Amino acid sequence: MELKKVALNDVHEALGAKMVPFAGYNMPVRYSSDIEEHKTVREAVGIFDVSHMGEFMVKGPKALDLIQRVTSNDASKLVPGKIQYTCLPNEEGGIVDDLLVYQMAENEYMLVVNASNIEKDWNWISKFNTEGAELENISDSMSLFAVQGPKTADALQSLTSLDLHNMTYYTFEKGEFAGVPNVIVSATGYTGAGGFEIYVPNENAKAVWDKIMEAGKAFGIKPIGLGARDTLRLEMGFCLYGNDISDTTSPLEAGLGWVTKFNKEFTNSQNLKAQKEAGVSRKLVGFEMVEQGIPRAHYEIANAEGETIGEVTSGTQSPMLSKGIGLGYVKTEFAGPGSEVYIKIRNKAVKANVVKLPFYKA
């Protein structure tokens, strides 16, 4: 299968990015080094091209009904300008995808889904669209830049009359940005470093990227690849679909009970409600290595007696904490903060402690 290319593919190659296949796209994994890029985002400002993400528009009088039917969170709480994190439960107790829901206007929403799941999510949502909500997949015509870091608002403010400094987390505004009208500027991100996500049509992507790079120059802006995106999200304990959540993990096991609202009916809600009442047998936890070692996905997690109690789903060496950190599912009795667990790294049991998330507190 030929890899898809984002609109700015040639820009990334010209910047010297190492390009790798990711979710069916040719994507920049790094431009310099993961650690340098990671620290740029934590301390200053960086720009990610995440145009591989998917966007669906849902419109019409039946739009909210459809969203309520397929998502676990309560989208009736949204108002125009607000965003909600949620998931699409499947019928077997797992998760089709995690996503963002933007309320654009009355009876108009935008769903932002993971790149690897665009077709799967589209088919899933369409299956439940029995009342005639208007669905449009605009993924291939949109570019998305995540500009992240503590200096982001200062770096971008000269490009727009929108008041970036006073936009609150999980809200967005539409307006002129970098000379382009009707740009969605969203106070969201996957780094925990603050910043904005900028949605622009592909035809304006190059001009907007160039203006962001120019405006950010005085603030130390650098392009950032997917390598640092992964270590940044992991320091915050944010789930990655395909690693920490999947078709076989329940939202309750994954710690997503806060986006699973039982004041409405949604896909598999009865079974999930029963699971909540009975209690889950395993939970997704964060752990920090006490002894030297870097945890990786699929490593076994054991107790002090050497019995397997779970499996690592994501792991890395934290650039900010200078120690191994990871996420993984463990039997519920080992899920409390302070629990001592052992990660099997190359057949050696290496000691770790379960901790409260996030790992990194700015």
Side-chain angles (χ1 to χ4, degrees):
M1 200 175 107
E2 200 183 333
L3 287 178
K4 292 175 92 166
K5 289 180 178 178
V6 295
L8 299 192
N9 184 84
D10 296 354
V11 171
H12 304 307
E13 289 182 347
L15 285 165
K18 176 174 168 51
M19 306 295 284
V20 299
F22 181 83
Y25 285 79
N26 190 40
M27 294 295 289
V29 70
R30 74 183 56 81
Y31 300 81
S32 56
S33 86
D34 291 351
I35 290 179
E36 187 186 313
E37 291 176 23
H38 183 110
K39 289 186 170 169
T40 294
V41 174
R42 284 274 177 255
E43 292 158 10
V45 55
I47 178 170
F48 304 77
D49 184 347
V50 286
S51 303
H52 60 321
M53 298 290 283
E55 297 87 13
F56 305 154
M57 300 304 296
V58 189
K59 297 179 189 173
K62 295 295 182 182
L64 179 60
D65 290 351
L66 175 61
I67 292 165
Q68 289 288 64
R69 173 81 181 78
V70 297
T71 67
S72 59
N73 208 337
D74 183 3
S76 72
K77 295 277 191 282
L78 285 169
V79 294
K82 290 269 196 219
I83 307 160
Q84 189 177 73
Y85 177 68
T86 187
C87 72
L88 298 170
N90 65 23
E91 287 158 322
E92 287 76 49
I95 299 171
V96 177
D97 203 4
D98 62 333
L99 68 157
L100 295 180
V101 180
Y102 287 66
Q103 184 166 4
M104 308 305 295
E106 193 182 356
N107 296 331
E108 185 181 339
Y109 300 83
M110 179 172 76
L111 312 183
V112 182
V113 304
N114 284 300
S116 53
N117 291 335
I118 293 172
E119 192 181 349
K120 172 186 165 192
D121 291 1
W122 176 262
N123 292 340
W124 181 260
I125 294 165
S126 299
K127 182 171 97 166
F128 293 98
N129 187 23
T130 53
E131 300 294 315
E134 196 184 317
L135 279 177
E136 188 186 2
N137 181 357
I138 60 168
S139 306
D140 288 342
S141 62
M142 293 296 283
S143 287
L144 172 56
F145 304 137
V147 190
Q148 299 281 295
K151 297 182 181 176
T152 302
D154 292 336
L156 298 184
Q157 190 60 77
S158 67
L159 297 176
T160 184
S161 60
L162 302 174
D163 183 358
L164 300 181
H165 290 88
N166 287 312
M167 272 178 73
T168 52
Y169 196 43
Y170 270 68
T171 66
F172 72 94
E173 288 185 47
K174 264 180 105 165
E176 187 171 311
F177 182 90
V180 179
N182 294 322
V183 171
I184 298 166
V185 179
S186 168
T188 46
Y190 195 43
T191 65
F196 299 90
E197 294 184 303
I198 317 286
Y199 295 83
V200 291
N202 286 345
E203 58 267 27
N204 304 119
K206 173 83 166 66
V208 170
W209 173 279
D210 289 345
K211 284 185 179 170
I212 291 172
M213 291 297 278
E214 188 58 40
K217 200 178 280 180
F219 300 91
I221 197 168
K222 292 197 180 106
I224 313 293
L226 293 178
R229 184 170 154 86
D230 194 49
T231 54
L232 286 157
R233 70 93 192 168
L234 198 40
E235 283 185 341
M236 300 312 294
F238 294 155
C239 290
L240 173 64
Y241 193 88
N243 282 45
D244 316 300
I245 51 177
S246 72
D247 288 313
T248 61
T249 61
S250 127
L252 303 173
E253 294 172 335
L256 299 180
W258 63 284
V259 299
T260 309
K261 303 285 167 64
F262 295 112
N263 59 344
K264 59 162 201 169
E265 292 281 321
F266 58 86
T267 314
N268 205 37
S269 56
Q270 290 302 321
N271 289 332
L272 289 171
K273 193 175 184 184
Q275 186 183 56
K276 185 183 181 177
E277 284 157 8
V280 294
S281 59
R282 61 172 188 167
K283 279 187 177 171
L284 184 67
V285 298
F287 61 85
E288 284 182 353
M289 302 307 296
V290 176
E291 298 169 348
Q292 197 87 31
I294 302 175
R296 298 291 183 201
H298 307 302
Y299 284 7
E300 231 172 84
I301 306 175
N303 62 13
E305 288 70 49
E307 297 159 348
T308 301
I309 55 163
E311 184 178 89
V312 177
T313 53
S314 288
T316 195
Q317 175 79 359
S318 160
M320 301 309 285
L321 304 175
S322 301
K323 61 173 128 177
I325 60 170
L327 297 174
Y329 285 91
V330 296
K331 289 181 179 173
T332 304
E333 58 265 36
F334 295 93
S339 296
E340 190 177 282
V341 296
Y342 292 82
I343 314 301
K344 297 268 186 78
I345 303 176
R346 295 182 203 86
N347 297 324
K348 185 172 175 262
V350 186
K351 192 170 164 181
N353 276 336
V354 174
V355 296
K356 199 172 183 302
L357 297 170
F359 297 103
Y360 176 73
K361 296 160 188 77

